[in-house]
Amino acid sequence: MFVKICGLSTAPDVAAAVAAGADAVGFVLTESPRRVTPELVRELVAGVPERVLTVAVFREEPAAYVREMVRASGVGAAQLHGNHPPAAFAELADLGVPLIRATSAAAAAGASCGDFGEDLLLLDSPVPGSGEAWDWAELGAKPPGGRWLLAGGLTPGNVRDAIAAARPWGVDVSSGVEVRRGVKDPALITGFVRAAKAG
């Protein structure tokens, strides 16, 4: 099970995610309480081993901004939230990093990874980024094709049930490993990774 810990902003939190066995770590470079600067991201990713994918997260920004921030921050992947058309992914294809399309599960009904030219597909709750739990079983009945991540309301306590219900290729968490908005808890990060990878 591929596990991404998102919304990281401190070296200890990044270290906790890496030590726990996370496969990817995410940094928010768009309007959010978790927003960080590309300069800070560059510092944080410098200590991340190559086996862990580093991801910059964007929402509705133009491709030119995404391109600039990916290069400035030194991340290994870009995640585009919202209503980005296939043309946006085509425009960024020459960046040379994996592209992740993130959208609500409702908006992507019947989707498959790669439909927009993305390398990974992330399906979130009806209110993406809210951290609200939702009916993951809706996806389990007809899961997307290819490599896709489940997000939205996941916690160390419910991630195993969510995986069983939706049958994703991977999972993504941010608020579910926080003690308060924007502040991660290393123990919750460790618990989440262990639970997601158990069995």
Side-chain angles (χ1 to χ4, degrees):
M1 181 60 54
F2 185 94
V3 179
K4 175 171 168 278
I5 307 295
C6 202
L8 299 173
S9 61
T10 70
D13 289 346
V14 173
V18 170
D23 301 285
V25 289
F27 307 95
V28 178
L29 289 172
T30 189
E31 192 59 41
S32 165
R34 304 177 184 94
R35 186 173 195 164
V36 289
T37 65
E39 293 79 13
L40 176 58
V41 174
R42 182 169 283 278
E43 291 178 14
L44 294 175
V45 303
V48 177
E50 287 187 14
R51 63 177 172 79
V52 179
L53 185 65
T54 55
V55 183
V57 178
F58 304 93
R59 182 189 299 276
E60 306 290 356
E61 283 86 6
Y65 176 82
V66 173
R67 181 183 302 277
E68 177 186 355
M69 291 297 102
V70 166
R71 288 176 172 163
S73 61
V75 294
Q79 178 174 312
L80 308 183
H81 267 272
N83 299 313
H84 294 275
F89 292 87
E91 188 175 346
L92 292 168
D94 67 342
L95 260 180
V97 300
L99 300 176
I100 303 169
R101 177 165 70 105
T103 186
S104 71
S112 286
C113 177
D115 285 349
F116 282 42
E118 74 273 21
D119 299 286
L120 289 174
L121 174 65
L122 185 151
L123 298 184
D124 208 336
S125 70
V127 184
S130 67
E132 296 175 2
W134 52 291
D135 186 2
W136 304 298
E138 293 176 10
L139 286 172
K142 190 179 179 183
R147 300 193 305 169
W148 68 279
L149 309 180
L150 178 68
L154 300 178
T155 68
N158 68 20
V159 67
R160 287 304 302 162
D161 289 341
I163 289 170
R167 297 180 290 151
W169 176 80
V171 290
D172 178 283
V173 68
S174 184
S175 60
V177 292
E178 292 179 341
V179 289
R180 61 181 183 278
R181 196 157 180 82
V183 180
K184 298 292 189 282
D185 181 328
L188 291 176
I189 290 173
T190 300
F192 184 89
V193 177
R194 286 178 179 169
K197 290 182 176 286

